[in-house]
Amino acid sequence: MFDGATDVSICKNEIVYARFVDNGVPKVLYVKIQDVEHAHAAGVLEAIEKSLDGIQEEWTWKEKLIATASDGANVNIGRKNSVVALLKNDVPHLLSMHGVCHRLELGTLDTMKARDAKIFADLKSVLLNLHKHYHYSPKALREVKALSEAMEQNMIKPVNLQGTRWMPHLSGCLDVLLRQYQVFVAHFENTVQGKIGTIDVQSRAKLILKHLKKYDLLSHMHFLKDMLAVLSELSLQFQKDACCLPDASEALETTCLQLVALQQRPGKSLHTFLDEVIHENNEYMLKGIRLSPPTLTAEQLKQKQNTLVDSVLNHINKRMGDMDTNHLLKDMQIFYPINLPATDAELAVYGEDQLEALCEFYSDVLNRLDYDVEHLKQTEWPALKIKMKREPNNTSIQDFYHRLFTNSNQKETLKNILVLVETVLCIPVSSAIWERGYSAMARIKSD
């Protein structure tokens, strides 16, 4: 698992992690941060080799290599002249993974910008200016804290939207704004009406206040809060170091179902907003604050929201579709107990073609380990299917295989097929670990 970044001294670095399986439990090990002399594919690969060549084991690291994980840069995973392309010369069975965290963020943000560019720009402007207004003015922060105490609300300082694209961060920024909506509006009205602060401060307050009183934008904010709450939960699942293919697939399916539900009925935040808005005599009031009337009808707003959800689903499925369309990743799903067929007749022949394809793809690995492939197919695979069938539905895949790996009798009985299981669990899907690594590097290699 690798990624590149430039440190404070303007030096290119490559951070390298190793993912392995310990008794059925995927783990991630930090290896090294290595200087990169040249940022092309050969230079990046040279840095990775320098990081890993110092590890003395029975086999070289390339002989143990199953897959790589990185971001989607062409220098990493491009078809030609990339790190992965060069590695495949020595490791023909190499599987290349583009981190799911990056794909989720890029797909969702691309959708928001493409579908509602103007309203998304307004939302981003509000969140950035809100942070700027209170971050650089201790006086403004003291005033809004005093105001929140007078209104009997807990004050939470607006956080910066810049510098990160993780979904939970965007969701948190939006939550702070909507939770203290009345406090912020009251403070900005006081700033504008009392002409408090410099011209820049007053202009920024007018701009934020104008946006915060738009019915369309507020409705969109509450809808986004519901949608981002669902996507943030998925992002947090993807950011776990132990996240493996079955976890990612299950979390993605759950999220898609929750997003479809938002099309059928309003989410919690939007439902609360619609209940609190009072519409009388062509005026819209929210918690005593007069809003500018909507430019779209309720049906048009609903249609716009549903279209956005459809676009998000399409972009996510497009960027992450390889988990279901890649023949190798799809074949690996035979080891997930949840996919077992219901009838004994189907179970008897279940997974035989997929297992054959996996054995053929990893033939050099199995041959090097001198494993009995025929015994794996004829005896061990049926035995493993029975064990998966008897497993309770609420048991996690990692817990199930952890028990097999730690049971000395089972580990010996299923020793051949557990190599393939270990391979499946070793496939890296999360891309958050190296981002945290660079955060740690920035704290150490500071100015």
Side-chain angles (χ1 to χ4, degrees):
M1 304 168 68
F2 61 95
D3 191 25
T6 304
D7 64 17
V8 70
S9 64
I10 320 300
C11 289
K12 179 74 173 177
N13 294 275
E14 199 72 22
I15 191 167
V16 181
Y17 285 86
R19 181 181 170 97
F20 61 98
V21 177
D22 181 20
N23 285 329
V25 179
K27 295 184 178 180
V28 179
L29 174 71
Y30 164 74
V31 178
K32 195 175 184 181
I33 292 179
Q34 181 69 43
D35 291 342
V36 178
E37 294 184 10
H38 305 285
H40 50 62
V44 173
L45 180 56
E46 182 183 4
I48 295 173
E49 290 175 335
K50 287 181 180 178
S51 302
L52 293 165
D53 281 343
I55 301 176
Q56 298 297 325
E57 291 186 347
E58 184 179 354
W59 296 306
T60 65
W61 65 271
K62 285 186 180 180
E63 290 178 313
K64 287 196 168 190
L65 187 60
I66 294 295
T68 63
S70 63
D71 60 21
N74 284 333
V75 69
N76 292 331
I77 63 174
R79 292 186 179 181
K80 297 180 179 179
N81 297 323
S82 66
V83 175
V84 170
L86 293 175
L87 276 173
K88 281 188 176 181
N89 294 330
D90 298 322
V91 189
H93 59 265
L94 185 68
L95 182 65
S96 171
M97 295 295 294
H98 178 189
V100 289
C101 292
H102 285 94
R103 288 191 274 180
L104 173 64
E105 308 298 325
L106 293 171
T108 305
L109 293 179
D110 286 350
T111 305
M112 292 180 183
K113 293 175 184 177
R115 296 299 314 177
D116 298 288
K118 176 63 170 64
I119 202 165
F120 185 75
D122 289 345
L123 171 61
K124 191 173 180 180
S125 173
V126 169
L127 295 175
L128 290 174
N129 281 311
L130 194 68
H131 169 261
K132 184 178 181 180
H133 191 81
Y134 295 110
H135 182 73
Y136 295 104
S137 176
K139 178 176 179 291
L141 186 59
R142 286 195 305 270
E143 290 173 352
V144 77
K145 283 183 177 179
L147 185 58
S148 64
E149 290 176 3
M151 298 176 70
E152 299 181 348
Q153 291 192 24
N154 294 325
M155 175 62 192
I156 304 176
K157 184 180 177 182
V159 292
N160 190 8
L161 186 65
Q162 295 282 55
T164 179
R165 62 169 179 258
W166 296 125
M167 203 67 64
H169 195 83
L170 176 59
S171 180
C173 292
L174 196 56
D175 185 56
V176 170
L177 170 59
L178 296 179
R179 186 182 299 182
Q180 301 167 150
Y181 174 74
Q182 285 177 287
V183 175
F184 289 134
V185 170
H187 186 237
F188 288 127
E189 284 182 338
N190 181 63
T191 301
V192 173
Q193 294 172 5
K195 297 183 178 180
I196 299 172
T198 63
I199 297 298
D200 288 341
V201 169
Q202 293 178 41
S203 299
R204 185 164 58 242
K206 286 180 182 179
L207 178 63
I208 297 175
L209 194 59
K210 177 184 176 183
H211 287 316
L212 291 182
K213 289 186 176 183
K214 287 182 177 180
Y215 180 95
D216 290 347
L217 183 59
L218 280 175
S219 175
H220 192 70
M221 283 182 180
H222 284 85
F223 171 73
L224 278 184
K225 183 182 176 183
D226 291 324
M227 189 173 71
L228 288 174
V230 175
L231 293 170
S232 295
E233 184 61 32
L234 177 62
S235 179
L236 291 173
Q237 292 293 325
F238 283 170
Q239 290 177 43
K240 292 180 179 178
D241 292 346
C243 181
C244 56
L245 279 171
D247 298 327
S249 299
E250 183 178 346
L252 185 59
E253 289 180 11
T254 302
T255 297
C256 291
L257 194 64
Q258 291 173 311
L259 290 175
V260 172
L262 292 179
Q263 294 180 309
Q264 309 304 316
R265 44 94 180 123
K268 181 180 178 181
S269 181
L270 181 59
H271 186 271
T272 302
F273 169 74
L274 295 175
D275 283 347
E276 291 179 344
V277 171
I278 300 173
H279 180 203
E280 293 180 353
N281 301 324
N282 293 326
E283 289 188 352
Y284 291 80
M285 302 292 293
L286 174 64
K287 300 177 180 179
I289 301 169
R290 181 177 296 171
L291 306 178
S292 60
T295 58
L296 301 174
T297 65
E299 291 76 15
Q300 289 173 326
L301 280 173
K302 183 63 178 175
Q303 180 61 37
K304 196 171 186 179
Q305 292 163 1
N306 288 346
T307 303
L308 179 59
V309 172
D310 285 334
S311 298
V312 169
L313 288 170
N314 290 335
H315 272 73
I316 289 178
N317 290 327
K318 183 178 178 181
R319 285 183 177 270
M320 301 190 188
D322 60 334
M323 286 196 289
D324 286 323
T325 58
N326 183 294
H327 72 91
L328 187 63
L329 296 180
K330 200 167 184 178
D331 290 343
M332 290 178 177
Q333 295 181 15
I334 62 172
F335 295 116
Y336 309 166
I338 194 174
N339 293 330
L340 290 178
T343 66
D344 289 341
E346 293 175 317
L347 183 64
V349 296
Y350 169 73
E352 291 183 351
D353 293 339
Q354 292 87 343
L355 189 67
E356 181 71 33
L358 289 173
C359 290
E360 182 178 351
F361 187 79
Y362 290 112
S363 58
D364 57 334
V365 176
L366 296 174
N367 291 334
R368 187 172 69 247
L369 295 172
D370 196 26
Y371 274 19
D372 189 342
V373 178
E374 287 304 315
H375 189 267
L376 181 156
K377 297 175 184 177
Q378 301 299 327
T379 305
E380 296 184 15
W381 175 230
L384 181 60
K385 285 191 284 188
I386 295 300
K387 295 184 185 303
M388 288 193 291
K389 181 182 178 181
R390 292 176 178 175
E391 195 66 21
N393 293 331
N394 59 350
T395 304
S396 71
I397 295 173
Q398 291 186 20
D399 289 341
F400 169 63
Y401 284 116
H402 177 62
R403 289 202 304 274
L404 289 184
F405 275 91
T406 52
N407 186 312
S408 57
N409 183 43
Q410 300 290 353
K411 191 173 182 179
E412 179 62 28
T413 304
L414 303 172
K415 65 177 183 179
N416 297 294
I417 200 165
L418 285 182
V419 173
L420 289 180
V421 171
E422 195 170 14
T423 300
V424 173
L425 294 176
C426 199
I427 302 298
V429 295
S430 176
S431 54
I433 181 65
W434 57 74
E435 302 288 353
R436 289 194 287 269
Y438 279 123
S439 295
M441 183 189 76
R443 290 192 295 271
I444 298 167
K445 296 178 73 174
S446 63
D447 291 318

